[in-house]
Amino acid sequence: MDSLKKVFNQSSNSNEQAAGGGGSGGMMDKINSSLGGGPSSEKNEDFLDKGVDFVQQRMGGGQQSNESAIEQAKDEQISDAIRAQYKSATGKDFPIADK
């Protein structure tokens, strides 16, 4: 998974440099969006995923409003682990439903 992240980051950086800055658009954005990343998929997050984003941003993780598909998959794993630990500790499902 780290190797995929490196490929996305390197390609994204080279696309930004070729485009003359950090503008959005291009082939990597289309690929990222089709894999489930980008601002459109941020709208489909449940409140626990948004809470994970909030904590990451407050701990120095940077802006979380336009995450890659890999970052969103990582956030989903974190929220699934929170749900599982909550259920094992309380015996009840987490109060916020998973989308």
Side-chain angles (χ1 to χ4, degrees):
M1 191 133 154
D2 289 334
S3 60
L4 282 176
K5 191 172 181 179
K6 286 180 184 177
V7 168
F8 269 97
N9 285 338
Q10 288 173 352
S11 297
S12 177
N13 289 340
S14 64
N15 283 346
E16 288 175 6
Q17 290 171 354
S24 63
M27 191 168 95
M28 288 307 293
D29 287 341
K30 291 178 185 176
I31 292 171
N32 184 39
S33 180
S34 68
L35 291 174
S40 61
S41 59
E42 290 285 332
K43 296 176 186 174
N44 297 330
E45 288 184 334
D46 60 42
F47 284 113
L48 182 57
D49 293 331
K50 291 181 187 292
V52 169
D53 284 345
F54 176 79
V55 170
Q56 288 175 337
Q57 187 169 344
R58 293 294 178 193
M59 294 183 71
Q63 184 63 283
Q64 302 290 313
S65 64
N66 188 14
E67 291 181 307
S68 69
I70 294 170
E71 286 290 322
Q72 289 205 349
K74 182 183 74 171
D75 290 352
E76 186 62 31
Q77 287 179 338
I78 292 170
S79 66
D80 289 345
I82 292 170
R83 289 178 203 284
Q85 290 298 314
Y86 182 87
K87 187 166 186 166
S88 70
T90 64
K92 299 178 183 178
D93 287 334
F94 196 78
I96 301 170
D98 194 10
K99 282 189 179 178

